[in-house]
Amino acid sequence: MTPAESRGRVTRRGPVPDTAYDVAVVGAGVVGTAVARELARRPGLRVAVVDAANDVGEGTSKANTAILHTGFDAVPGSLESRLVREGQRLLTAYAAESGIPVEPVGALLVAWDEQQHAALPGLLDKAARNGHDAARIIGPEEARAREPHLGPGARGALDVPGESIICPWTTTLAYATQAVRAGVDLHLNCAVTHVRQGEGRHELTTERGVVRTRYLVNAAGLHADAVDRLLGHDDFTVTPRRGQLIVFDKFARGLLTHILLPVPTALGKGVLVAPTVHGNVLLGPTAEELDDKTATGSSAEGIAALREKGRRVLPELLDEEVTAVYAGLRAATGHDDYRISAHKEQRYVTVGGIRSTGLTASLAIAAHVAELLAATGLDLAGPGDLAPVRMPNLGEAFPRPYRRADLIAADPAYGTVVCHCERVTLGEIRDALAATVPPGSPDGLRRRTRARGGRCQGFYCGAAVRQLFERGGEFARDGVSEQGGESMSG
């Protein structure tokens, strides 16, 4: 096949194609798209990804705390511990190859009272058991020297080199782009409502028709338990755990160097303060057990609690402007480990209970799922190399298009700024609309370009960005004959 012939389809409306697939993956988050990419490396397979949303990464993946973990605090000996360690190595290399912004800032796990300080040796031992020997306990003087803006009263910290920050949006999009270019079909707006098991195949009833497949992978995130029950299993229940976060303006970025972590509790890693690759500062998340898997709204109580915790850790942060407030839902199952299992007789693999570490572990999870599919009977060839992708740079620490004279000289659209808060150019928006996996909404366009993601939240550029989005493919084809921005090229 030529590259054009092998290219997959991205569909959002109309009946799904009448195709018999070898593997269908339910869920187009960071794990589902990673699995699809891994299967695309195996010659001869016909693969589909189906998702209820109108874009990739629309669920838990878009509201991740954006940390590339070392796995120092995972449960030693657990599947999560192994996959996070492997995934960190794999994703670090993949990000460098694909242009996904990563900054290895390191982390300080700060103790604020004697009980927390007494817990540090146990956390250090856990880090060593997880293969992270570089961690060490430091005193309050060194902690303050490393982070001069820390609040008063820090008793010491666990220094964890290797913890990094990453762009979660670009990661999911890179996996999906590479998979589709290699022949994977991506069917969005395609919620699975029923699964019928026939002779040698599954028939997935969706809102857009029936998807037929020999093997099935459930990577449905918050809804993985519901899909599991469609296959007759009741192995776990996903309880949505809401995490509210506050995003502070770029002027706050100089207040810290590391990721500042709390001593973890049974509910999770707790409220952290962290820089982002987009140049902002995150405060959060909360950890609220809910019943509603759509409850992604924020609350006054949650934001007030975050501000109170932030005031202790980094008091000056509260004087900075807030750019945005958002909330995400994590797939908590009440278990200390991922819920990944194979059902050979059904040709089915469940990938459930993937918490916030799933971003880091995604490539290792995908390889593990491929092994489980082979164990259930799928004939898998050895992994081959895919054509590399190079993603648009959203990282503030790397040269953005508006600062690149070579790009602007070759194409003035990269010097025409549409979103002034985030310095997003007409060329970047055009490229996103013409991409292999184009955005399904203005919010999807924001995650691909940062347009409307700055301190004015689209007050200035929102109408222009929406107009460009609505023109979609027409604008992408016509280029910049009707430029709607302000030139930065002189």
Side-chain angles (χ1 to χ4, degrees):
M1 287 187 177
T2 67
E5 290 171 333
S6 65
R7 190 183 182 100
R9 293 165 286 192
V10 179
T11 68
R12 286 189 168 94
R13 58 185 63 87
V16 291
D18 184 17
T19 302
Y21 293 103
D22 295 301
V23 186
V25 180
V26 180
V30 71
V31 172
T33 55
V35 171
R37 174 192 171 274
E38 176 65 28
L39 294 175
R41 299 174 63 209
R42 312 304 179 107
L45 290 183
R46 197 80 178 95
V47 179
V49 179
V50 298
D51 196 288
N54 71 353
D55 207 349
V56 298
E58 272 285 344
T60 299
S61 299
K62 74 178 181 184
N64 193 283
T65 47
I67 295 175
L68 183 55
H69 296 281
T70 59
F72 79 95
D73 58 349
V75 176
S78 65
L79 180 64
E80 180 181 19
S81 173
R82 175 171 70 82
L83 295 181
V84 168
R85 289 199 312 274
E86 293 176 6
Q88 195 248 11
R89 175 181 57 81
L90 293 171
L91 183 49
T92 298
Y94 181 79
E97 174 189 289
S98 304
I100 299 168
V102 172
E103 293 182 50
V105 295
L108 295 180
L109 194 149
V110 182
W112 295 96
D113 57 38
E114 283 305 318
Q115 183 178 5
Q116 293 178 9
H117 191 257
L120 294 184
L123 290 165
L124 179 64
D125 177 66
K126 179 184 279 189
R129 291 163 64 198
N130 280 317
H132 193 68
D133 297 323
R136 63 189 183 94
I137 295 173
I138 62 175
E141 297 80 9
E142 183 175 349
R144 185 161 300 282
R146 301 268 292 274
E147 291 290 352
H149 298 280
L150 271 180
R155 304 297 181 91
L158 183 67
D159 176 24
V160 188
E163 295 279 300
S164 303
I165 53 177
I166 187 171
C167 179
W169 308 329
T170 310
T171 304
T172 304
L173 185 61
Y175 295 162
T177 297
Q178 206 168 24
V180 170
R181 288 181 181 176
V184 172
D185 287 346
L186 174 61
H187 302 309
L188 302 167
N189 294 323
C190 200
V192 175
T193 58
H194 182 70
V195 178
R196 178 178 174 271
Q197 298 175 68
E199 187 63 36
R201 72 180 185 186
H202 301 280
E203 292 185 351
L204 281 58
T205 301
T206 79
E207 295 176 340
R208 294 175 46 214
V210 175
V211 175
R212 291 177 289 118
T213 181
R214 293 196 299 129
Y215 290 79
L216 181 61
V217 176
N218 170 13
L222 289 166
H223 303 281
D225 57 343
V227 173
D228 212 38
R229 290 186 179 104
L230 292 178
L231 275 292
H233 302 285
D234 191 15
D235 296 336
F236 61 93
T237 296
V238 173
T239 300
R241 183 175 291 163
R242 181 169 64 182
Q244 301 183 52
L245 297 106
I246 303 174
V247 183
F248 287 88
D249 193 68
K250 290 175 173 52
F251 286 111
R253 181 62 180 84
L255 291 177
L256 78 170
T257 302
H258 304 77
I259 302 163
L260 301 179
L261 299 171
V263 175
T265 69
L267 281 178
K269 297 180 185 297
V271 174
L272 57 82
V273 183
T276 76
V277 294
H278 308 126
N280 301 90
V281 174
L282 276 182
L283 171 62
T286 58
E288 307 160 56
E289 302 282 1
L290 304 175
D291 296 322
D292 185 356
K293 294 183 179 181
T294 65
T296 56
S298 57
S299 67
E301 296 79 9
I303 298 306
L306 287 179
R307 292 181 65 87
E308 187 61 32
K309 290 180 182 294
R311 181 174 288 109
R312 182 177 196 183
V313 177
L314 211 64
E316 294 170 65
L317 183 62
L318 278 297
D319 296 329
E320 299 294 335
E321 295 285 341
V322 172
T323 294
V325 170
Y326 70 94
L329 299 176
R330 288 161 279 175
T333 63
H335 297 272
D336 288 335
D337 205 353
Y338 295 159
R339 307 295 289 173
I340 302 177
S341 58
H343 303 275
K344 184 174 183 178
E345 70 285 355
Q346 291 180 301
R347 306 172 311 284
Y348 167 61
V349 175
T350 302
V351 189
I354 309 300
R355 298 184 291 273
S356 59
T357 56
L359 169 63
T360 301
S362 53
L363 290 175
I365 291 173
H368 182 59
V369 169
E371 292 173 358
L372 292 178
L373 284 170
T376 64
L378 180 62
D379 186 12
L380 281 183
D385 293 329
L386 298 178
V389 294
R390 192 71 187 173
M391 303 305 294
N393 170 48
L394 300 187
E396 201 65 17
F398 307 89
R400 298 276 306 286
Y402 77 92
R403 296 169 56 190
R404 289 187 53 185
D406 58 331
L407 282 182
I408 296 169
D411 186 345
Y414 293 114
T416 304
V417 173
V418 176
C419 171
H420 285 261
C421 293
E422 296 296 305
R423 299 291 193 268
V424 181
T425 67
L426 199 62
E428 293 170 275
I429 293 174
R430 176 201 61 203
D431 293 348
L433 294 172
T436 302
V437 184
S441 67
D443 281 344
L445 182 59
R446 174 178 54 80
R447 291 193 294 274
R448 286 161 172 81
T449 64
R450 290 171 44 180
R452 297 169 48 252
R455 59 161 41 195
C456 87
Q457 289 291 287
F459 180 82
Y460 177 79
C461 68
V465 172
R466 176 169 285 278
Q467 183 180 42
L468 293 171
F469 171 77
E470 289 174 351
R471 289 180 59 191
E474 173 196 351
F475 165 64
R477 286 190 302 273
D478 293 346
V480 293
S481 57
E482 299 175 22
Q483 294 184 355
E486 181 176 312
S487 175
M488 298 286 288
S489 58

